[in-house]
Amino acid sequence: ILMATWPADYNGSWTLASPVARSGVGLHSGASVSVTLRPSERAGYHVRWAEAPASSEPVTLSPAQVRDSQLCTTLDLGERRLATVEHLLAALAGTGLSHVELEVSGPEVPLLDGSALGWVEAIDAAGFAPAATSRRPGPRLTAPITRHRGSSVITATPAEGFQVVGVIDFPQVAIGRQQLAISLTPERFVEEIAPARTFGFREQVDQLRAAGLIQGGALDNALVCDGEHWLNPPLRFVDEPVRHKLLDLIGDLALVGFPQAQVLVYRGSHGLHTDLAAALADLSPSPR
């Protein structure tokens, strides 16, 4: 049960009241990995490698580090890469945290249960504290932005707050066409988006594993669809897949900051989200 009183909106500057750690398996590497979330006095999200000397400066995350990698979002941090960051970044940004340092051990962020719920629970356990400096301002749109990849499209239109609209359309009967629109607040993120788990398809499992992917995927950390039914019900929401797609979108926009916009995505992917984030970064007053 989550006890925290979440921030009312995304305008305040917040860090953690105390450090908190989570460990588990990496979805694609199958490695045992861990992340400690720590309070920070500096705006933004910063990564430090667990084995680096204490005196070393953490790397400040920026949209320019994002690489469109297959089935996840990877950050290119100089000599090293950090994979599958989207659910953790969604939890940080979605709950309203603006100043956080991540101490990372391993090549990938732990998958936990395949949603952002484990990260939200960790944040809840650590508690919130007012940050020492102002939050970085998010991008401000003066006109709509649209990006396409094949039949997939994402568009951001100036709006009062941050609204997300997701539409998915799958041939598998168990999923089909789903849509969801939500005016995002930290509380709504925690209740309506964070628990939605990643999903995949039974017929793709062997092919992906052979390609060196989803080595850590299992029925306890991903929903698996087999055409007309799910191999591991029950779902947490009737429309859990579209909610998870919005979770990915929120994580992929976390580094650029939430725009004052309605973001609509049809058949989204990490690559498509990254295309929009790059366009928003060009409008953002925050450092690249």
Side-chain angles (χ1 to χ4, degrees):
I1 297 172
L2 299 173
M3 303 301 292
T5 303
W6 305 98
D9 53 36
Y10 296 111
N11 299 325
S13 299
W14 297 100
T15 190
L16 295 162
S18 59
V20 63
R22 289 291 182 270
S23 56
V25 69
L27 169 61
H28 294 300
S29 63
S32 294
V33 287
S34 66
V35 176
T36 302
L37 314 182
R38 298 188 184 281
S40 175
E41 293 187 352
R42 296 194 296 171
Y45 307 132
H46 316 275
V47 165
R48 179 192 298 283
W49 301 105
E51 64 276 16
S55 58
S56 66
E57 280 292 300
V59 180
T60 298
L61 301 186
S62 83
Q65 297 155 344
V66 174
R67 297 293 170 264
D68 167 15
S69 48
Q70 194 177 4
L71 301 183
C72 73
T73 298
T74 297
L75 299 178
D76 201 338
L77 304 175
E79 294 175 4
R80 293 180 63 167
R81 286 187 159 202
L82 182 60
T84 322
V85 295
E86 57 271 19
H87 303 164
L88 171 54
L89 290 178
L92 298 177
T95 57
L97 286 167
S98 55
H99 296 52
V100 182
E101 184 175 298
L102 310 172
E103 186 180 291
V104 179
S105 169
E108 198 173 6
V109 170
L111 182 62
L112 305 183
D113 73 348
S115 76
L117 188 59
W119 296 115
V120 166
E121 289 169 346
I123 291 164
D124 185 40
F128 276 66
T133 53
S134 296
R135 149 191 300 270
R136 287 181 184 166
R140 294 207 166 269
L141 281 74
T142 52
I145 297 172
T146 302
R147 293 291 181 271
H148 296 266
R149 282 196 180 203
S151 61
S152 301
V153 63
I154 191 166
T155 179
T157 309
E160 287 297 303
F162 179 44
Q163 301 157 20
V164 287
V165 184
V167 183
I168 60 172
D169 198 355
F170 284 91
Q172 290 83 358
V173 177
I175 303 175
R177 186 184 176 93
Q178 300 179 6
Q179 56 190 48
L180 180 70
I182 184 167
S183 292
L184 208 68
T185 64
E187 187 172 351
R188 292 195 74 182
F189 171 79
V190 166
E191 291 180 0
E192 300 179 42
I193 300 293
R197 292 162 293 174
T198 193
F199 62 96
F201 302 97
R202 185 178 185 174
E203 67 269 19
Q204 294 175 0
V205 169
D206 292 343
Q207 180 188 345
L208 291 170
R209 288 215 163 127
L213 297 166
I214 67 164
Q215 304 299 307
L219 292 175
D220 61 356
N221 60 23
L223 288 168
V224 180
C225 178
D226 187 13
E228 297 189 6
H229 66 278
W230 295 94
L231 294 186
N232 49 345
L235 270 61
R236 292 175 178 171
F237 305 93
V238 231
D239 55 356
E240 191 165 355
V242 73
R243 290 172 190 262
H244 186 79
K245 286 290 191 180
L246 288 178
L247 171 64
D248 282 343
L249 170 69
I250 290 162
D252 290 338
L253 294 181
L255 295 184
V256 73
F258 294 157
Q260 296 284 301
Q262 181 191 75
V263 177
L264 184 150
V265 59
Y266 172 70
R267 299 181 66 179
S269 65
H270 291 298
L272 191 64
H273 304 160
T274 300
D275 292 346
L276 177 66
L280 290 172
D282 291 337
L283 303 175
S284 183
S286 59
R288 291 293 301 273

